[in-house]
Amino acid sequence: MSTLQSLSSDRAWPIYGRDGIRALEALLQAPNPVPLMQQAGLAAAQLAMAVAPHAQRIWVAAGPGNNGGDGLEAAVHLHQWGKNVAVGLLGRVDEMPTDARAAWQRAHTAGVPLSHGLPSDGLKDLGPHDLIMDALLGIGGKRPLDGALLSWVQAINSSMAMVLALDAPTGLDADSGAFLGPRHDAHCIKAQHTLTFMAAKPGLFMGHGRDVCGHLWLADLGFRPSALGPAPAAWLNPASARPAKSHASHKGSFGDVAVIGGEADVRGMGMTGAAVLAATSALHAGAGRVILSLLSGQASHSAQADLMQRDWQSLDLEKLHVVCGCGGGQSVQQVLPAVLQRSMQLVLDADGLNAVSQVPQLQALLRQRAPTQATVLTPHPLEAARLLKTSTQEVQSERLAAAQTLMDLFQCTVILKGSGTVIASPGQTPRINPTGNGRLAVGGTGDVLAGLVGARMAQGYTAFEAACMAVAQHGQVADQWPAGQALTASGLAMRLS
């Protein structure tokens, strides 16, 4: 029995890529004499009634594949329930897959108005209370949109009607969250609601998916995760409780974090602020003690009095949870051999990652840390591309694969930052993080995340646990940021707990 529910971000939903969904579909359909398409159509019709109960007109844009069949099945139910529904079919009926062609026949027999092409008014007569159902491509889209398909997408986006996309908005790659065509949303449906079938898809939570999907819903079509089906490609990273300090604890209970970074002024550009941000983050996140070691060799007068400041060479790295690279510039290359060999646990960020990407000897030292010395890498897409010797575009088009390749390459936990941050770790199914928003696109927020990860590791969590908790909390604080107030990295650091 299928259930329809909101895809809330506070639950660890299993996530399946296109190949996994195809395998699930075959598994679910085998014992069921009724096409899954009929269940999908019923769920789509039910959601349409829920989100647009006062719609005077409903127009279904049905594509030439099985996604179009889902839309046709939905139209049958809406028509039978007395709604003013019409279907525009893109493609030839005789070229449709078997189940989709049967759905067209059911719609025709039921008396649903069916036509080819857009309505003569080009959807301009639809009002804000009306509904358009996008059943053009779903997860089947792989190529850039052109011709009639692109015209339909642009007409739908120009309409005032609410849009409900089935499985995934047309023009969005359901595996990556990238646009199928040019890097702008004129080639992708912008939906207020997306109903996805069987299980969540990665692209709904990554890249542009978070901007064009609207509210996410799931109709599971009877799928229940079990050992019999294919393993999920990832899990959604749920919000988790923040660690609490017991009455009997003391500063030694929550570990020592050392932040090494902050190169001296180079060409008039000082970078000590990045290290100060990471240290401030670790401090407010509850680390027992935080030591700031600036590569500038000078004390920071802007750092909080709670931060101890030491020369990195005086640190007992074997006993410390080290965050290295924030604002490190070129100077960080000189300290990395010792940091990589001696640090008990390590978060490597920013210029530390850039240095590793440039120096093969540092790459070898990083690999040698596994498995006894826990390491977390925190690259943004450009840093990941440098480490993988590829392009940022390639990383963004295969975010899950990029994170896992980095993980395999260095045998450590990887936080691939961006819209839908990916956390990958040896022996773990990757996580995709749903929290956070565009406010985090300001300088210094990555330094804050690095310090937060270091604090969680110092508090006794494994590298994977620390990464998952920190990424979720980092995004949550941004999501809860007061409206009308600019988010700054320093403000973000001070709101951690």
Side-chain angles (χ1 to χ4, degrees):
M1 180 178 178
S2 179
T3 58
L4 177 62
Q5 53 198 314
S6 175
L7 262 174
S8 59
S9 61
D10 58 355
R11 177 175 163 186
W13 298 93
I15 297 174
Y16 289 82
R18 190 179 286 110
D19 292 342
I21 288 295
R22 299 301 187 212
L24 284 181
E25 187 174 19
L27 191 68
L28 289 174
Q29 187 63 78
N32 193 343
V34 179
L36 293 177
M37 186 175 291
Q38 292 187 23
Q39 291 187 52
L42 175 59
Q46 290 170 334
L47 184 57
M49 294 290 286
V51 300
H54 305 297
Q56 297 299 307
R57 294 174 60 192
I58 299 174
W59 188 71
V60 179
N66 285 328
N67 195 241
D70 296 337
L72 284 160
E73 291 287 0
V76 171
H77 290 289
L78 292 167
H79 178 76
Q80 292 172 342
W81 298 340
K83 301 301 292 185
N84 180 10
V85 59
V87 176
L89 183 64
L90 182 66
R92 294 166 52 100
V93 176
D94 58 358
E95 294 178 350
M96 297 177 77
T98 301
D99 288 347
R101 193 162 61 248
W104 179 90
Q105 186 60 56
R106 281 164 49 81
H108 176 74
T109 302
V112 177
L114 303 168
S115 64
H116 290 269
L118 290 166
S120 58
D121 59 21
L123 305 178
K124 293 180 180 177
D125 283 353
L126 294 179
H129 295 295
D130 294 326
L131 179 71
I132 295 172
M133 189 175 292
D134 166 26
L136 288 169
L137 291 182
I139 67 171
K142 296 181 180 179
R143 296 180 299 175
L145 309 187
D146 57 15
L149 182 58
L150 179 57
S151 298
W152 282 39
V153 167
Q154 293 173 340
I156 291 170
N157 284 342
S158 298
S159 171
M160 293 188 294
M162 180 186 298
V163 178
L164 166 60
L166 301 190
D167 236 1
T170 297
L172 182 76
D173 187 303
D175 274 0
S176 69
F179 291 139
L180 294 176
R183 299 183 204 174
H184 56 77
D185 57 8
H187 288 237
C188 184
I189 291 289
K190 294 185 284 291
Q192 284 72 51
H193 297 271
T194 296
L195 172 63
T196 199
F197 300 117
M198 283 182 284
K201 320 302 190 293
L204 307 182
F205 302 98
M206 294 194 297
H208 298 290
R210 301 187 68 204
D211 293 317
V212 301
C213 287
H215 191 97
L216 292 171
W217 303 84
L218 171 68
D220 59 33
L221 308 189
F223 168 61
R224 304 292 184 270
S226 71
L228 299 179
W235 290 85
L236 201 64
N237 186 44
S240 56
R242 300 174 189 178
K245 293 188 175 183
S246 68
H247 293 295
S249 62
H250 52 83
K251 64 184 179 183
S253 305
F254 296 93
D256 296 339
V257 174
V259 176
I260 302 175
E263 187 177 55
D265 287 1
V266 177
R267 296 179 299 277
M269 296 178 63
M271 298 192 291
T272 58
V276 172
L277 281 170
T280 303
S281 170
L283 183 69
H284 284 269
R289 292 184 299 182
V290 181
I291 304 166
L292 175 62
S293 295
L294 293 176
L295 298 178
S296 65
Q298 300 174 347
S300 170
H301 300 296
S302 64
Q304 291 184 236
D306 312 75
L307 295 173
M308 294 181 284
Q309 299 194 49
R310 301 282 189 275
D311 184 278
W312 77 270
Q313 293 177 321
S314 69
L315 300 178
D316 192 356
L317 296 176
E318 288 83 357
K319 297 179 180 178
L320 291 171
H321 306 82
V322 176
V323 177
C324 184
C326 302
Q330 294 298 315
S331 300
V332 77
Q333 285 196 24
Q334 306 304 314
V335 307
L336 271 177
V339 167
L340 289 168
Q341 291 177 85
R342 295 172 50 202
S343 300
M344 177 173 64
Q345 295 193 330
L346 175 63
V347 179
L348 197 60
D349 186 52
D351 289 323
L353 297 169
N354 291 330
V356 167
S357 72
Q358 297 164 9
V359 183
Q361 293 87 343
L362 295 179
Q363 296 168 23
L365 290 176
L366 178 55
R367 292 189 191 97
Q368 289 169 15
R369 290 182 57 82
T372 57
Q373 296 164 290
T375 309
V376 178
L377 309 184
T378 60
H380 57 54
L382 177 57
E383 292 160 348
R386 289 169 178 159
L387 288 164
L388 293 171
K389 311 302 181 187
T390 185
S391 67
T392 304
Q393 185 175 355
E394 286 295 317
V395 169
Q396 290 293 73
S397 66
E398 296 287 348
R399 285 178 57 79
L400 271 173
Q404 290 174 289
T405 301
L406 274 176
M407 174 199 73
D408 290 336
L409 183 61
F410 296 112
Q411 284 300 296
C412 61
T413 298
V414 173
I415 297 173
L416 178 57
K417 296 182 288 192
S419 176
T421 292
V422 178
I423 305 113
S425 192
Q428 301 287 342
T429 302
R431 297 279 184 91
I432 299 176
N433 189 66
T435 64
N437 55 63
R439 286 174 168 168
L440 290 171
V442 295
T445 57
D447 305 310
V448 172
L449 177 61
L452 179 54
V453 175
R456 295 293 175 250
M457 292 174 75
Q459 290 160 346
Y461 294 95
T462 67
F464 181 64
E465 291 169 341
C468 292
M469 292 175 68
V471 169
Q473 183 185 355
H474 187 256
Q476 277 181 308
V477 175
D479 289 338
Q480 295 164 359
W481 203 261
Q485 179 180 327
L487 186 150
T488 62
S490 58
L492 181 69
M494 293 180 191
R495 290 183 189 232
L496 300 174
S497 61

